[in-house]
Amino acid sequence: MTTVAVQPGTKPATMAQALGRAMRDAMAEDPTVHVMGEDVGTLGGVFRITDGLAKEFGEDRCTDTPLAEAGILGAAVGMAMYGLRPVVEMQFDAFAYPAFEQLISHVAKMRNRTRGAMPLPITIRVPYGGGIGGVEHHSDSSEAYYVATPGLTVVTPATVEDAYGLLRASIASDDPVVFLEPKRLYWSKAQWSPDAPAEVPGIGKALVRRSGTSATLITYGPSLPVCMEAAEAAREEGWDLEVVDLRSLVPFDEETVVASVRRTGRAVVVHEAGGFGGPGAEIAARIAERCFHHLEAPVLRVTGFDIPYPPPMLEKHHLPGVDRILDTVGRLQWEN
Amino acid sequence: MPASYEEVYAAMTVQELPGAGASHRSTPPPAWRPRTDAAALLPDPEPYRVLGTAAADKLDAELMRRYYAELVRGRRYNAQATALTRQGRLAVYPSTVGQEACEIAAALVLEDRDWLFPSYRDTLAAVARGLDPVQALTLLRGDWHTGYDPREHRIAPLSTPLATQLPHAVGLAHAARLRGDDVVALAMVGDGGTSEGDFHEALNFAAVWQAPVIFLVQNNGFAISVPLAKQTAAPTLAHKAVGYGMPGRLVDGNDIAAMHEVLTEAVERARAGGGPTLIEAVTYRIEAHTNADDATRYRTDSEVEAWKAHDPVELLERELTSRGLLDAEGIQVAKDAAETMAAALRDAMNAEPVLDPMDLFAHVYAEQTGRLREQAELLRAELEAENE
């Protein structure tokens, strides 16, 4: 998948392992870090991301909660008020919705409504996105709800080393972070050493994953490997595509995106979430505002359709794929 | 005497339950049995009372005189806040006239290290706990949402979304217990709030975790206009405790001696590791929901008058004066202190608060994002243009 620098002595590791290791290391370093959620203890989570944490740190540090997302996040708020640093697992994207009132009315606003006196350092891990053949309510791209809520930091890794580095940074953050885990990349592998994890840039910094000159693909999370594949395939068409991985949606690293698009003069935003009101709408608007005189073509988007998430047998038609990305790049007015 | 559930089930396996032997139906496995003795969790059939009963013979005179002074002050606080609303000094005020005993007892049974989780109607509880009334009313004034540092006072921000602060109380109490601190949390909610999902989830988490938390439901008869009968079919709200595996207590919310006793028992039980309690305090909202409400549309004057005859301030005053524990001078001292508080509140509220528009961007994130910096600059330019 992505171009990850290979360090000497490293072995292949999965994103799932890197995420688990990030929580383990955070818990070992900071006794106030508590992991909680449905099935995160004995079972290690339905995706096994928290595997081994309850055994190593005890059930008081990695807690199987009752099955109630508002209660989980609401309790985490109280724990954070008392000085703990909860890491909450929402089992699936669409199962996080019962917690929205807690998230929007309390978690996102507490720093603001207490004039900075009581920030809430809570990390809310949400496996999100499609492509795993999940039945209804298991494949939503819910990021638009989160990015529309001021006070939340919204992070999404696309590589193994970012999974570790960004989760550590999220847990260390004094602000609440919605940490969106691209579940179809859980088993993606890269050379990565858990004992000497690579330093990664912090939250709020986008990275150019592939340099190019013809056009910029702007993406994040589950769509990064798709864009990287598309960029490789585009060489046959004579296009040298640059790929920007946002890594966090809030804060949005506008400068990296703008600098790239000013260089290439063309931009396509790619994400699984629907296009109307999706993050790509805002990104395209900002590019239009700040790169107008550098653009050779209108900013285009490749997004999920504006439909409820489809049944798994049809999801391949819904998700942004290499062909649809290349077709879209082809519409960037090259003839001029 | 009927045997308790515990005794019944201890004596039989599930196969021996009536009908369990019938071949056409399966049975739960033998290991199944009720987890707790439900009978022990049930509330009393009638609200617990002290004032006007023989139990009042044992009243702590010193404590009750303090409660009396607080009740008089609380009644005056309600009157002053309502007056400030009429003068446009408060945007809105949800009154607790008639509910002062609940508000004050909830505050006074707590130690300094304990936490109070009030709803938007519970500013009086925050004031009784020692918070400056001006700070308590910041939200209702239309000034910044929370006028105090919650950690300094151990008072959570006033919660407007109903019952959403209850899970916070559970989490905080749980965290305190994990850290080995003997801190308890007391969360306040109304009868309408018990219909919210967060009420259910909070009570369930509290019981599963045996968190040191007390849920105080002030059943004041109405959720704005909707009476309790349209809110629940439970025998009483206190009965809801049984389903979660915690004790439910039913108490006369206008009887401050009863409130003190029931709350103190629950606090001590929680502090000693005995887990949570649900308390339903039966009381009445004498005034409308807020100044924006018209209560004559949904209830009769005669009902209100009946409750006024069961007034929490007068109940205690009658008890204390009839027992010679309070005299005219004592009453006057309490009233004078209340007037002093009211005058100070009036003066403070008559001063225009000064808010800095640039503060809009101050506490959204620990570190301001580029986008917010840009928007702050836009506003700054607008303000400078206004001032030119």
Side-chain angles (χ1 to χ4, degrees):
Chain A
M1 42 166 276
T2 58
T3 52
V4 174
V6 179
Q7 296 184 334
T10 62
K11 289 186 294 189
T14 64
M15 180 180 279
Q17 289 168 329
L19 291 167
R21 180 65 183 224
M23 281 182 277
R24 189 235 157 242
D25 289 353
M27 291 172 87
E29 274 179 28
D30 181 353
T32 68
V33 175
H34 284 244
V35 170
M36 56 198 287
E38 295 155 7
D39 302 292
V40 299
T42 309
L43 181 67
V46 294
F47 291 107
R48 307 292 184 271
I49 309 296
T50 56
D51 192 26
L53 297 181
K55 197 172 175 192
E56 183 171 354
F57 297 100
E59 291 189 8
D60 282 345
R61 295 282 307 281
C62 179
T63 307
D64 279 332
T65 63
L67 205 166
E69 293 78 10
I72 294 168
L73 189 53
V77 169
M79 291 165 74
M81 287 170 76
Y82 202 74
L84 301 186
R85 205 168 268 274
V87 180
V88 166
E89 177 174 307
M90 292 287 156
Q91 200 160 73
F92 278 90
D93 31 55
F95 301 167
Y97 303 151
F100 266 30
E101 185 176 22
Q102 286 293 338
L103 185 73
I104 290 162
S105 294
H106 291 296
V107 173
K109 292 177 179 166
M110 195 64 88
R111 174 187 288 279
N112 186 256
R113 57 201 285 257
T114 61
R115 311 300 299 131
M118 202 163 63
L120 296 177
I122 302 174
T123 302
I124 302 152
R125 297 179 37 243
V126 186
Y128 84 120
I132 62 160
V135 297
E136 195 182 18
H137 306 304
H138 289 78
S139 298
D140 285 9
S141 290
S142 40
E143 59 265 38
Y145 308 127
Y146 301 113
V147 302
T149 305
L152 298 179
T153 297
V154 183
V155 174
T156 180
T159 69
V160 173
E161 55 186 7
D162 261 2
Y164 180 89
L166 289 176
L167 185 51
R168 289 298 306 270
S170 298
I171 296 170
S173 170
D174 286 335
D175 281 321
V177 177
V178 175
F179 191 85
L180 297 168
E181 300 175 358
K183 64 173 93 77
R184 71 166 136 142
L185 300 185
Y186 271 156
W187 304 281
S188 64
K189 285 186 179 175
Q191 302 293 322
W192 182 77
S193 166
D195 298 317
E199 289 272 328
V200 300
I203 295 168
K205 179 81 190 105
L207 288 177
V208 176
R209 294 290 185 190
R210 185 187 195 283
S211 297
T213 55
S214 313
T216 304
L217 301 181
I218 299 138
T219 191
Y220 55 85
S223 295
L224 177 64
V226 186
C227 287
M228 296 299 282
E229 199 185 329
E232 281 305 305
R235 291 166 60 181
E236 287 181 22
E237 309 285 336
W239 297 316
D240 179 18
L241 300 184
E242 182 146 309
V243 179
V244 174
D245 173 9
L246 293 177
R247 303 171 73 244
S248 69
L249 300 176
V250 180
F252 167 45
D253 182 0
E254 207 170 285
E255 299 311 319
T256 297
V257 170
V258 164
S260 172
V261 176
R262 284 180 179 176
R263 274 197 305 275
T264 63
R266 289 179 171 85
V268 177
V269 189
V270 182
H271 58 59
E272 287 185 18
F276 190 90
E282 179 63 27
I283 295 164
R286 293 301 281 171
I287 293 171
E289 286 172 32
R290 296 195 53 193
C291 307
F292 184 74
H293 295 291
H294 302 265
L295 286 172
E296 304 288 339
V299 182
L300 297 181
R301 286 172 288 161
V302 180
T303 68
F305 296 133
D306 293 309
I307 57 171
Y309 198 85
M313 286 180 173
L314 293 173
E315 68 180 338
K316 67 175 187 291
H317 302 292
H318 169 72
L319 295 170
V322 170
D323 290 346
R324 195 172 289 156
I325 292 169
L326 291 178
D327 288 348
T328 306
V329 170
R331 289 194 283 119
L332 291 171
Q333 301 188 1
W334 301 98
E335 65 277 11
N336 295 337
Chain B
M1 193 183 119
S4 70
Y5 280 106
E6 194 65 19
E7 288 165 332
V8 170
Y9 283 96
M12 62 166 67
T13 68
V14 170
Q15 276 77 7
E16 291 167 316
L17 284 168
S23 58
H24 62 277
R25 53 180 286 186
S26 62
T27 59
W32 184 89
R33 61 169 55 179
R35 295 168 58 90
T36 45
D37 175 8
L41 305 176
L42 281 167
D44 296 335
E46 291 290 326
Y48 179 68
R49 292 192 176 91
V50 171
L51 300 179
T53 76
D57 292 346
K58 291 181 286 184
L59 281 182
D60 176 341
E62 197 60 34
L63 177 68
M64 287 301 131
R65 276 193 290 264
R66 184 175 173 213
Y67 266 129
Y68 177 74
E70 287 291 340
L71 282 171
V72 170
R73 197 169 84 107
R75 177 62 52 86
R76 187 67 188 83
Y77 168 82
N78 267 317
Q80 188 57 57
T82 301
L84 286 165
T85 311
R86 293 203 191 95
Q87 294 155 15
R89 289 294 182 189
L90 288 179
V92 62
Y93 182 68
S95 159
T96 46
V97 169
Q99 300 175 227
E100 290 94 341
C102 300
E103 297 281 313
I104 288 161
L108 266 61
V109 295
L110 297 179
E111 301 288 339
D112 271 357
R113 63 185 179 281
D114 297 334
W115 274 73
L116 182 72
F117 287 78
S119 82
Y120 64 90
R121 193 177 294 283
D122 303 313
T123 58
L124 176 54
V127 169
R129 189 162 161 77
L131 188 66
D132 180 339
V134 177
Q135 290 185 319
L137 290 167
T138 307
L139 168 83
L140 302 172
R141 194 182 196 182
D143 195 343
W144 276 102
H145 312 307
T146 305
Y148 52 92
D149 179 346
R151 288 205 173 101
E152 183 190 342
H153 299 278
R154 271 84 58 210
I155 302 173
L158 301 168
S159 183
T160 307
L162 292 176
T164 58
Q165 83 281 25
L166 270 53
H168 306 171
V170 176
L172 184 135
H174 178 61
R177 201 161 82 107
L178 289 178
R179 288 197 150 184
D181 302 338
D182 67 340
V183 166
V184 308
L186 190 152
M188 304 175 76
V189 66
D191 44 304
T194 64
S195 298
E196 292 280 2
D198 278 14
F199 174 83
H200 155 70
E201 295 187 24
L203 266 70
N204 190 46
F205 274 64
V208 170
W209 286 350
Q210 287 294 287
V213 56
I214 295 94
F215 301 100
L216 173 59
V217 180
Q218 291 183 65
N219 172 7
N220 69 8
F222 294 91
I224 302 188
S225 67
V226 178
L228 190 64
K230 291 182 182 172
Q231 207 66 248
T232 181
T236 72
L237 295 172
H239 277 83
K240 294 193 174 202
V242 181
Y244 300 103
M246 72 175 78
R249 298 295 309 273
L250 187 60
V251 56
D252 183 339
N254 289 14
D255 178 337
I256 202 160
M259 285 298 299
H260 175 81
E261 195 178 316
V262 169
L263 282 165
T264 300
E265 273 176 28
V267 166
E268 285 175 356
R269 213 173 69 81
R271 205 184 300 286
T277 304
L278 172 65
I279 299 169
E280 176 186 358
V282 181
T283 181
Y284 195 79
R285 200 192 69 211
I286 294 294
E287 296 184 344
H289 166 64
T290 67
N291 50 298
D293 179 36
D294 175 8
T296 63
R297 292 174 72 96
Y298 51 83
R299 66 185 189 185
T300 61
D301 288 347
S302 61
E303 182 180 290
V304 179
E305 290 309 312
W307 276 95
K308 280 184 176 172
H310 192 64
D311 180 80
V313 188
E314 285 173 18
L315 277 181
L316 183 62
E317 189 177 300
R318 274 204 300 273
E319 187 77 52
L320 295 182
T321 51
S322 69
R323 289 176 181 270
L325 301 173
L326 181 72
D327 56 16
E329 191 192 340
I331 293 171
Q332 195 56 47
V333 168
K335 285 186 172 162
D336 290 347
E339 284 306 321
T340 304
M341 177 278 301
L345 175 56
R346 199 167 49 233
D347 290 348
M349 283 299 195
N350 281 334
E352 285 291 340
V354 180
L355 283 78
D356 181 358
M358 294 311 295
D359 261 3
L360 288 172
F361 303 98
H363 300 292
V364 185
Y365 294 97
E367 202 179 315
Q368 211 164 66
T369 61
R371 194 177 180 89
L372 290 185
R373 276 196 299 277
E374 196 178 293
Q375 293 174 356
E377 283 315 308
L378 173 73
L379 180 61
R380 190 190 307 282
E382 286 176 2
L383 293 170
E384 282 169 3
E386 272 176 28
N387 292 332
E388 272 171 13

